[in-house]
């Protein structure tokens, strides 16, 4: 497949989803005369745990730019000659993106920006604007609507990552999940409510597909996913692959709501996960049609439930 005709700069490229996005962009390669870079802190660049990853990426041609993302000079310098910025910043730095986007608008070269989304649809319906975990992403979208004219932005809305959904946290079991070691699952309601998921490697694939289809992607909110399944179908897949019967417990949406409220009242970080799991269980990941096809991706281009569960049981 043709290489990417852009110079691309990635923020948060070594983060949880950034790793998959950076790997996919590097595999797609930039065409001659273009570059792929990540902007990262000195601390990350010299972190021994990230050394192997960074050196393998460097051997694939990645440029590593270090600096402080809150320093306008560092960022403007990094933008020189860059066409596309892909932000994969984590939840605690989402609002820093308004300045990054303002500097992109000011730059002479950046013309396409992907703000860090890669998750729940923050404008799914009228209830979405009141959900606490959506507030910072909504602020970023509002800033872009009101202030950004030249740079085009693309929001890649992927829904939950199945890879992360498969975890069961004992302290908050009522939010649902799967524990491979004890072969136990906790599902919401009957376990038969469909949820649209994207696997983490597919987020990278979908981002590259957006880069390959600028006419479909620029200026758009893209709703994409790997597949739709149910919590009980996931249990059955685990049973098939582990060759054992699992114990499944059920929790009501009401119990989930009560736990969610308690976690917010106590200021616990897991409140975000509880709210998001409730939104997903209530069906706000489902669409008549996704934008996968517009990006040239068919169902069999995406990972399957079996592949993602297979990775979880290793
Ligand atoms: N759909 C889902 O199920 C799901 C799950 C998790 C996350 N997400 C979304 O994915 C996006 C990325 O989240 P993530 O969990 O991948 O992020 P993350 O791993 O927490 O952080 C990503 C990167 O952000 C940078 N960063 C984080 N804190 C920073 C700080 N205080 N100052 C400067 N830089 C900082 C770091 O970059 P450097 O190391 O390069 O400095 C870090 O590697 C978010 O929009 C999040 O909402 C979705």
């Amino acid at each position: 497949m043709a290489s990417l005709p852009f110079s691309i700069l990635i923020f948060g490229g070594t983060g949880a989803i950034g790793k998959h996005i950076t790997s996919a962009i590097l595999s797609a390669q930039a065409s001659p005369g273009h570059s792929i870079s990540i902007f990262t802190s000195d601390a990350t660049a010299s972190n021994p745990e990230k050394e192997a990853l960074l050196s393998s990426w460097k051997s694939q041609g990645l440029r590593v730019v270090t600096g402080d993302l809150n320093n306008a000079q560092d960022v403007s310098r990094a933008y020189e000659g860059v066409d596309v910025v892909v932000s994969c910043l984590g939840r605690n730095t989402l609002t820093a993106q308004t300045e990054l986007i303002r500097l992109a608008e000011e730059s002479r070269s950046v013309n396409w920006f992907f703000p860090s989304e890669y998750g729940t649809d923050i404008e799914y319906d009228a209830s979405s604007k009141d959900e606490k975990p959506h507030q910072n992403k909504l602020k970023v979208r509002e800033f872009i609507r009101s202030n950004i004219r030249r740079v085009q932005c693309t929001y890649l809305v992927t829904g939950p990552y199945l890879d992360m959904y498969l975890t069961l946290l004992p302290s908050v079991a009522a939010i649902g999940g799967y524990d491979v070691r004890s072969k136990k699952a906790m599902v919401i309601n009957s376990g038969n409510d469909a949820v649209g998921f994207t696997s983490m490697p597919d987020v990278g694939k979908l981002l590259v597909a957006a880069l390959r289809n600028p006419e479909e992607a620029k200026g758009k909110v893209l709703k994409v996913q790997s597949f739709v399944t149910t919590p009980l179908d996931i249990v059955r897949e685990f049973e098939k692959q582990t060759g054992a019967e699992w114990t499944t417990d059920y929790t009501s949406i009401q119990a989930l709501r009560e736990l969610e409220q308690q976690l917010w009242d106590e200021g616990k970080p897991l409140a975000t996960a509880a709210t998001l799991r409730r939104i997903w269980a209530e069906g706000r990941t489902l669409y008549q049609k996704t934008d996968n096809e517009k990006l040239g991706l068919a169902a069999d281009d995406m990972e399957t439930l079996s592949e993602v569960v297979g990775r979880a049981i290793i």
Side-chain angles (χ1 to χ4, degrees):
M1 205 175 274
S3 48
L4 302 169
F6 309 110
S7 285
I8 302 168
L9 178 75
I10 305 162
F11 288 103
T14 70
I17 201 58
K19 274 182 209 158
H20 294 276
I21 289 177
T22 305
S23 292
I25 291 175
L26 276 173
S27 298
Q29 298 185 324
S31 52
H34 295 98
S35 62
I36 300 168
S37 320
I38 61 164
F39 182 103
T40 190
S41 60
D42 284 322
T44 295
S46 57
N47 178 343
E49 283 173 25
K50 302 215 168 171
E51 212 178 293
L53 179 66
L54 287 173
S55 69
S56 107
W57 281 349
K58 281 182 193 163
S59 69
Q60 287 180 263
L62 181 77
R63 290 174 54 228
V64 177
V65 180
T66 55
D68 175 0
L69 66 83
N70 295 308
N71 179 319
Q73 271 189 343
D74 286 0
V75 173
S76 297
R77 205 174 300 126
Y79 281 171
E80 282 169 22
V82 166
D83 312 296
V84 184
V85 174
V86 177
S87 169
C88 311
L89 290 176
R91 280 198 163 273
N92 54 357
T93 24
L94 292 174
T95 52
Q97 293 180 113
T98 54
E99 182 63 1
L100 300 181
I101 295 163
R102 194 190 66 71
L103 292 168
E105 181 85 347
E106 225 178 69
S107 80
R108 267 174 289 180
S109 61
V110 179
N111 59 63
W112 196 0
F113 198 109
F114 288 74
S116 182
E117 286 256 348
Y118 324 115
T120 310
D121 190 343
I122 60 170
E123 295 181 330
Y124 185 90
D125 62 17
S127 70
S128 307
K129 68 179 186 329
D130 300 319
E131 301 288 5
K132 290 190 183 79
H134 296 354
Q135 297 312 308
N136 286 341
K137 288 184 181 178
L138 286 169
K139 277 185 203 151
V140 172
R141 286 197 191 185
E142 183 46 39
F143 175 84
I144 291 166
R145 271 187 208 115
S146 308
N147 298 283
I148 302 302
R149 298 287 168 262
R150 190 184 60 77
V151 174
Q152 305 236 47
C153 292
T154 298
Y155 306 95
L156 192 71
V157 173
T158 61
Y161 309 151
L162 183 61
D163 322 54
M164 287 190 175
Y165 185 86
L166 297 181
T167 315
L168 181 69
L169 300 171
S171 63
V172 288
I175 73 171
Y178 303 81
D179 182 44
V180 177
R181 203 183 41 80
S182 62
K183 301 193 172 50
K184 281 189 179 158
M186 173 69 88
V187 300
I188 318 290
N189 282 339
S190 66
N192 287 314
D193 301 318
V195 181
F197 291 101
T198 301
S199 77
M200 295 175 82
D202 276 352
V203 177
K205 181 182 287 179
L206 286 155
L207 195 296
V208 168
L211 289 172
R212 291 196 190 285
N213 290 277
E215 64 297 341
E216 295 291 352
K218 277 191 166 178
K220 304 276 172 50
V221 179
L222 297 171
K223 287 133 186 202
V224 292
Q225 52 197 209
S226 299
F227 50 78
V228 173
T229 188
T230 69
L232 274 188
D233 278 339
I234 298 172
V235 177
R236 290 184 199 110
E237 186 59 36
F238 270 118
E239 291 185 327
K240 192 169 126 195
Q241 294 201 28
T242 56
E245 199 174 318
W246 280 44
T247 307
T248 304
D249 289 324
Y250 297 81
T251 185
S252 65
I253 281 276
Q254 188 50 32
L256 173 53
R257 274 187 181 280
E258 284 163 18
L259 174 62
E260 178 189 351
Q261 189 59 50
Q262 184 195 328
L263 292 167
W264 283 113
D265 291 346
E266 292 169 358
K268 296 272 171 63
L270 281 169
T272 296
T275 298
L276 294 174
R277 293 228 178 187
R278 191 249 309 145
I279 293 170
W280 305 337
E282 287 174 339
R284 292 192 193 89
T285 61
L286 303 174
Y287 302 98
Q288 292 275 332
K289 194 170 177 9
T290 66
D291 293 315
N292 288 38
E293 210 176 291
K294 282 188 187 162
L295 301 182
L297 291 171
D300 61 7
D301 292 315
M302 310 315 292
E303 287 208 307
T304 61
L305 174 59
S306 157
E307 285 172 283
V308 186
V309 166
R311 277 199 297 272
I313 62 172
I314 290 169

